[in-house]
Amino acid sequence: MAETPTHASAPVPAPAPEGPGLDGGWSEQRGRLRKDLRRTDLLFFLICTVVGLDTIGSVAAQGPQGLSWMVILALVFFLPYGLLVSELGSAFPVQGGPYVWTRLAFGRFVAGLNQVLYWISNPVWVGGTLCVIALATWEQFFTPLPGLWRYVAGLAFIWAGVLAVLLAVRLGKWVPIAGAVARIVLLGFFLVSVAVYAARHGVHGLTAHDFTPTYAGFVGLVPVLIFNYVGFELPSAAAEEMRDPRRDIPLSILRSGLASFVLYGGPVLGILFVLPARQIGSLGGFIDACKAVFTVYGGNVAADGTVTLTGAGSVLGAIAALGLIVGLLTSGVSWAMGGDRGQAVACADGAGPAWLGVIDEKRGTPVRVNVLSGVLASLLMVAALNLTHGNSEKYFAAGLGLAISTTFVSYVVTFPALVVLRRKFPDAPRPYRVPGGTAGAWAVTVLTTGLVAFTVADLIWPGLGVGWFGTAGNPADSLPTSFAGERLQYTLSQVVPLLAFLLVGCAFYASGRRGRR
């Protein structure tokens, strides 16, 4: 379990860090931070952040080649990304993390716009993807949510997360820790149940040919796989709340990366063994697989694939469903803890409204940004449910695509900061450096930036490159199933909000004029 520091009656404020820092109004807010994060806390925080339960079904829906691309992208993206963030996080351990890196590299205006995109992607994700999966899980295992009750349940999910983020760090850090434990227990129990199910009923045979990677599969998988591989930079947003960020950040990234790869790949393989390919959906793949394997404890699967749980199977299914909902909730909490802190630093630094940059004196957290995030997530949930007329699959596809594209546009700016800061601050202490000198730094920068840029283009225009240069497949098949034949509608669901978010970023920067003066 996490190490819990001993607290005096008044926590000790975090001192200003060494090296390049911020100006504006952040100096005043910095003294309200508390150094309550230790290495074990960071490990659990990153497991909670990186192991996303919402995309397991999306990967499994692409078939066995999903695992092949998962291994390939682990080598060409996950590893370089971890190396890149380890150097930036340990060399510039300043509160705000990615905002500070991009501000030092490209200036306050670019960093301010970039931070708004990074921050706002979390309300989109929580109000869209996470909320709809939580609602679908509740309806699968407990009771339907007709009419108004769907909105009530969605708002309860969102604001439970907001309240968790509002807590002081010494208390709030236990929420991601609980989320990491829930993931380990839930996914571990699922894999054990798959083994029992396989021993009793057999599994669907998978041939070596099924694992052959294709370009069409790559285009369909790259957004969700890379999205599930990101999040290493989040602890750096709370760098001045750590005991020893220069040492703890690289070690935590290494350990959590290895754990996350195992925790994510195992369930995908389990789903492929249990469910016929035609029954695996992006939204309900993991939920349906859980119900199927839990029949070994009580229940049956009808000829048409309908699953009925009884006795111990029903009880264990309900417990697993609650664990999944907790896992989804804590995913949103861990990302909000990082994204909201970065936005508060940006606002206090003059890249946004000064009133949003205030750190609460009692809690040491950016309460105002936290509440605004909850309001935005609530509005997006209500709007999405109305625009999609309650179509959960369409709601899920649009919300997930927008959350990924918004986050990845910000990465296109953040990742090149590595090579820029090596040139601008060559003498800054770097406890960890990307191996290979300048060539190594450029290699990880080009790989990570190129892949996230391609992902953004692929999300805006699904099927990009399919059918080109002799590749097999039809670009229309890359559209989410719920948007079949509606390419323009899907593209607008991504482009229009992205443009709106950029306008919000410009408005934020304009409103920070007084703070800059």
Side-chain angles (χ1 to χ4, degrees), residues 265-287:
V268 171
L269 186 60
I271 292 174
L272 295 173
F273 277 139
V274 172
L275 293 182
R278 65 181 183 278
Q279 292 183 13
I280 303 175
S282 297
L283 171 60
F286 184 58
I287 303 170

Side-chain angles (χ1 to χ4, degrees), residues 120-140:
I120 211 168
S121 64
N122 189 65
V124 171
W125 189 43
V126 172
T129 308
L130 299 184
C131 187
V132 72
I133 295 181
L135 295 177
T137 301
W138 182 272
E139 291 183 322
Q140 281 263 18

Side-chain angles (χ1 to χ4, degrees), residues 52 58 85 199 201 229 237 274 303 307 388 399 427 429 433 453 463 503:
S58 298
V85 175
H201 301 291
Y229 277 156
V274 172
V307 178
T388 58
D427 298 325
R433 296 177 69 95
L503 290 176

Side-chain angles (χ1 to χ4, degrees), residues 1 44 47-48 51 53 56 176-194 259 262-264 266-267 286 290 293-294 297 315-327 330:
M1 294 302 293
F44 281 99
I47 290 176
C48 181
V51 182
L53 301 177
I56 290 176
I177 290 173
V181 172
R183 281 161 172 74
I184 294 169
V185 173
L186 173 62
L187 298 178
F189 183 65
F190 173 71
L191 290 177
V192 170
S193 300
V194 167
V262 174
L263 287 171
Y264 194 65
F286 184 58
C290 283
V293 299
F294 288 163
Y297 307 114
V315 174
L316 291 172
I319 294 173
L322 291 175
L324 176 58
I325 293 172
V326 169
T330 53

Side-chain angles (χ1 to χ4, degrees), residues 186-493:
L186 173 62
L187 298 178
F189 183 65
F190 173 71
L191 290 177
V192 170
S193 300
V194 167
V196 176
Y197 184 91
R200 185 172 301 180
H201 301 291
V203 295
H204 297 283
L206 301 175
T207 66
H209 178 73
D210 296 329
F211 290 88
T212 303
T214 65
Y215 179 75
F218 170 73
V219 170
L221 282 163
V222 67
V224 291
L225 279 178
I226 293 185
F227 184 60
N228 202 73
Y229 277 156
V230 298
F232 282 153
E233 74 284 347
L234 280 168
S236 293
E240 294 175 42
E241 297 170 75
M242 300 178 192
R243 294 298 178 96
D244 189 359
R246 292 189 185 275
R247 292 184 58 196
D248 294 349
I249 287 175
L251 285 172
S252 299
I253 288 175
L254 172 63
R255 294 171 180 175
S256 63
L258 294 173
S260 300
F261 183 80
V262 174
L263 287 171
Y264 194 65
V268 171
L269 186 60
I271 292 174
L272 295 173
F273 277 139
V274 172
L275 293 182
R278 65 181 183 278
Q279 292 183 13
I280 303 175
S282 297
L283 171 60
F286 184 58
I287 303 170
D288 295 337
C290 283
K291 290 191 71 173
V293 299
F294 288 163
T295 57
V296 299
Y297 307 114
N300 62 82
V301 181
D304 62 356
T306 302
V307 178
T308 303
L309 293 176
T310 59
S314 180
V315 174
L316 291 172
I319 294 173
L322 291 175
L324 176 58
I325 293 172
V326 169
L328 295 169
L329 178 65
T330 53
S331 284
V333 169
S334 62
W335 277 84
M337 289 176 75
D340 290 358
R341 279 167 167 76
Q343 189 58 48
V345 171
C347 290
D349 187 49
W355 63 273
L356 280 176
V358 175
I359 302 297
D360 184 79
E361 291 190 47
K362 181 179 179 181
R363 298 178 179 85
T365 57
V367 171
R368 296 176 182 180
V369 179
N370 298 155
V371 173
L372 180 59
S373 295
V375 172
L376 290 175
S378 301
L379 292 174
L380 287 165
M381 181 208 71
V382 173
L385 283 176
N386 280 281
L387 290 173
T388 58
H389 306 291
N391 185 331
S392 295
E393 284 284 354
K394 181 169 284 191
Y395 178 15
F396 173 80
L400 180 60
L402 184 58
I404 297 174
S405 59
T406 307
T407 306
F408 283 14
V409 169
S410 74
Y411 284 149
V412 171
V413 178
T414 301
F415 291 165
L418 175 69
V419 292
V420 175
L421 293 179
R422 274 203 178 185
R423 176 178 55 82
K424 293 182 72 172
F425 299 99
D427 298 325
R430 286 175 167 79
Y432 173 83
R433 296 177 69 95
V434 174
T438 302
W442 272 103
V444 299
T445 300
V446 170
L447 278 172
T448 54
T449 307
L451 281 167
V452 294
F454 176 84
T455 300
V456 172
D458 182 43
L459 283 166
I460 292 174
W461 194 263
L464 181 68
V466 174
W468 298 5
F469 310 112
T471 56
N474 183 347
D477 295 338
S478 297
L479 280 168
T481 305
S482 53
F483 281 92
E486 300 177 352
R487 179 174 290 278
L488 178 60
Q489 184 179 348
Y490 177 78
T491 297
L492 289 176
S493 75

Side-chain angles (χ1 to χ4, degrees), residues 68-83:
S68 301
W69 281 117
M70 182 180 169
V71 174
I72 294 170
L73 288 173
L75 297 175
V76 300
F77 178 82
F78 197 36
L79 178 59
Y81 164 63
L83 298 176

